[in-house]
C-alpha cells in the first residue's frame, strides 16, 4: 500500500504530493465508502422545488446538516435546470472539507436513481423494469420482488445476484435458471430445490456439486417416478418446506466447498473474481 501511494503522487506547483498512509484498516475504509448508499429504505416526502409528494431514498430530516435538496425525475430532467449554477470558487482561507460539505448539501439530488421503469416506484438503482417492488441495483426485470442485483429476470421473489432467470425463489448467485427454489451458486438449472453448486442440472433436490445430472435426491440418482414421489413429500405446507429448509442448511455445512469462486485469474485473492490478475482482497 505504501508503494501504491507513492506511485499515485502528483505535483502541485513545484511540490510533489503523496497521499498519507490511511488511518483506518481496509474493512473500516470499505464501511466508510459504502455507508452513504441507501438501497433498502424508502420515504414519502415532498420535493424541494415544487412541494410535490414523492417516493425517495432521502428522508426529509437529514442525518447531518441542513435538509437535502431532492428533486422528482421530471424536475431533474427539465432542460431548464442548470446544475452548474451550484458551483462555487474555492476559498483557500478555509479548510477543504467544510466547503465540500456545503457544496454536497446545495447540489440537488435525484429522489431515487431509476430510469425507464414502469410501475416500480419502490425500487432504487433500477433500470427498464416493470411491476417490481423493493428491488435494488437491477435492470430489465419484470414481476420481481424483494431482491438485490437482479439482471434480466422474471417472476422471482426473495433472490439476490440472480441473472437471466425466471420463476425463482430464495436463490443466491444463480445464472440462466428456471423454476428453482432455495438454490445457490448454480448455472443452467431447471426445477431444482434446496441445492448448491449445480451446473446444467434438472429435477435435483438436496444436492450439491453436481454436473449435468437429472432426477437426483441427496446426490443419489432416482427414477423419475421415485424422484417425484420423494419431492412431493415436502410440498403442500409451510411446515414441510421449513423441514426441508433445515435439511438444506445442514447440507451446506456438510458439503465440500470450493475455497473461492476465482476463475481464469492469476495472483488474486477474495471471491467472485473472473479473468483478472494481481487483485488483492477483491470481491
Amino acid at each position: 500500500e505504501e508503494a501504491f501511494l507513492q506511485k499515485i503522487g502528483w505535483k502541485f506547483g513545484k511540490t510533489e504530493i503523496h497521499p498519507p498512509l490511511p488511518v483506518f484498516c481496509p474493512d473500516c475504509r470499505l464501511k466508510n465508502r459504502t455507508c452513504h448508499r441507501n438501497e433498502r429504505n424508502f420515504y414519502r416526502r415532498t420535493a424541494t422545488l415544487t412541494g410535490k409528494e414523492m417516493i425517495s431514498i432521502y428522508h426529509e430530516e437529514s442525518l447531518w446538516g441542513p435538509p437535502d435538496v431532492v428533486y422528482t425525475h421530471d424536475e431533474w430532467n427539465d432542460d431548464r435546470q442548470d446544475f452548474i449554477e451550484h458551483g462555487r470558487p474555492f476559498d483557500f482561507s478555509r479548510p477543504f472539507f467544510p466547503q465540500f460539505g456545503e457544496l454536497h448539501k446545495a447540489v440537488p439530488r435525484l429522489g431515487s436513481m431509476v430510469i425507464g421503469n414502469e410501475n416500480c416506484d419502490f425500487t432504487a438503482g433500477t433500470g427498464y423494469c416493470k411491476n417490481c417492488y423493493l428491488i435494488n441495483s437491477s435492470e430489465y426485470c419484470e414481476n420481481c420482488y424483494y431482491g438485490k442485483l437482479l439482471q434480466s429476470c422474471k417472476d422471482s421473489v426473495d433472490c439476490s445476484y440472480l441473472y437471466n432467470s425466471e420463476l425463482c425463489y430464495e436463490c443466491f448467485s444463480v445464472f440462466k435458471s428456471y423454476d428453482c427454489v432455495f438454490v445457490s451458486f448454480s448455472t443452467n438449472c431447471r426445477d431444482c430445490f434446496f441445492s448448491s453448486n449445480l451446473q446444467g442440472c434438472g429435477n435435483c433436490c438436496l444436492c450439491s456439486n453436481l454436473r449435468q445430472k437429472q432426477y437426483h435426491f441427496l446426490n443419489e440418482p432416482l427414477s423419475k417416478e421415485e424422484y417425484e414421489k420423494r419431492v412431493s413429500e415436502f410440498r403442500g405446507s409451510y411446515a414441510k418446506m421449513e423441514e426441508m429448509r433445515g435439511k438444506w442448511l445442514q447440507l451446506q455445512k456438510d458439503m465440500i466447498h470450493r475455497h473461492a469462486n476465482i476463475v481464469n485469474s492469476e495472483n488474486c485473492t477474495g471471491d467472485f473474481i473472473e479473468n483478472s490478475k494481481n487483485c488483492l482482497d477483491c470481491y
Side-chain angles (χ1 to χ4, degrees):
E1 189 164 15
E2 290 181 21
F4 172 73
L5 294 176
Q6 287 293 319
K7 185 177 180 180
I8 64 171
W10 68 91
K11 285 191 175 182
F12 187 78
K14 295 183 178 180
T15 304
E16 187 170 347
I17 298 175
H18 298 279
L21 285 172
V23 175
F24 300 107
C25 69
D27 287 346
C28 290
R29 278 141 54 189
L30 174 63
K31 292 178 181 179
N32 287 336
R33 285 197 302 273
T34 57
C35 67
H36 70 283
R37 181 176 172 91
N38 173 24
E39 296 180 341
R40 296 175 176 84
N41 298 305
F42 297 89
Y43 308 100
R44 288 194 181 276
R45 58 164 295 152
T46 56
T48 306
L49 189 64
T50 61
K52 181 180 178 181
E53 188 177 76
M54 63 185 299
I55 303 298
S56 173
I57 61 173
Y58 301 105
H59 197 283
E60 285 188 311
E61 298 180 5
S62 62
L63 291 175
W64 63 276
D68 298 314
V69 179
V70 180
Y71 285 4
T72 66
H73 288 86
D74 291 339
E75 296 162 3
W76 180 274
N77 294 319
D78 192 331
D79 291 337
R80 293 173 295 180
Q81 294 290 346
D82 182 14
F83 291 102
I84 201 170
E85 67 184 14
H86 300 286
R88 58 196 65 192
F90 181 70
D91 185 353
F92 286 91
S93 67
R94 298 176 58 205
F96 167 79
F97 285 104
Q99 296 183 72
F100 181 68
E102 293 166 4
L103 177 66
H104 185 77
K105 282 293 184 179
V107 175
R109 303 169 182 231
L110 183 59
S112 59
M113 188 61 69
V114 298
I115 183 172
N117 289 340
E118 180 181 345
N119 190 30
C120 299
D121 291 342
F122 289 88
T123 66
T126 55
Y128 312 103
C129 295
K130 182 178 179 181
N131 300 332
C132 295
Y133 180 72
L134 289 182
I135 66 172
N136 63 73
S137 309
S138 305
E139 287 83 35
Y140 302 101
C141 293
E142 186 173 350
N143 302 327
C144 292
Y145 312 95
Y146 317 115
K148 175 182 175 66
L149 223 167
L150 315 177
Q151 302 291 320
S152 301
C153 296
K154 289 184 177 181
D155 304 302
S156 296
V157 178
D158 285 335
C159 297
S160 295
Y161 300 86
L162 185 71
Y163 304 85
N164 301 100
S165 298
E166 188 173 349
L167 285 176
C168 291
Y169 175 68
E170 283 283 4
C171 290
F172 180 85
S173 190
V174 170
F175 297 75
K176 299 178 180 178
S177 296
Y178 180 85
D179 193 22
C180 291
V181 176
F182 283 97
V183 173
S184 60
F185 307 108
S186 300
T187 303
N188 290 325
C189 292
R190 183 183 181 93
D191 300 310
C192 292
F193 308 93
F194 302 101
S195 298
S196 186
N197 194 21
L198 307 182
Q199 304 287 333
C201 294
N203 297 285
C204 292
C205 184
L206 285 175
C207 292
S208 62
N209 302 330
L210 295 184
R211 301 293 182 266
Q212 309 298 326
K213 301 295 185 182
Q214 282 194 340
Y215 299 112
H216 276 57
F217 194 95
L218 285 172
N219 280 23
E220 296 181 359
L222 300 175
S223 66
K224 179 181 177 180
E225 293 74 19
E226 181 63 24
Y227 173 82
E228 291 177 347
K229 179 181 177 181
R230 295 284 296 274
V231 170
S232 66
E233 294 174 358
F234 71 84
R235 288 180 176 270
S237 76
Y238 175 77
K240 292 180 180 179
M241 286 286 289
E242 281 297 290
E243 180 184 352
M244 189 62 70
R245 182 171 175 268
K247 294 180 179 180
W248 180 63
L249 294 174
Q250 185 60 46
L251 170 70
Q252 292 187 90
K253 293 180 181 179
D254 297 337
M255 66 177 283
I256 298 174
H257 292 272
R258 187 176 181 177
H259 79 286
N261 297 280
I262 301 176
V263 180
N264 194 30
S265 300
E266 179 182 348
N267 190 31
C268 295
T269 60
D271 206 358
F272 296 103
I273 301 173
E274 295 183 3
N275 308 316
S276 303
K277 183 178 181 181
N278 298 332
C279 296
L280 175 65
D281 200 18
C282 293
Y283 298 87

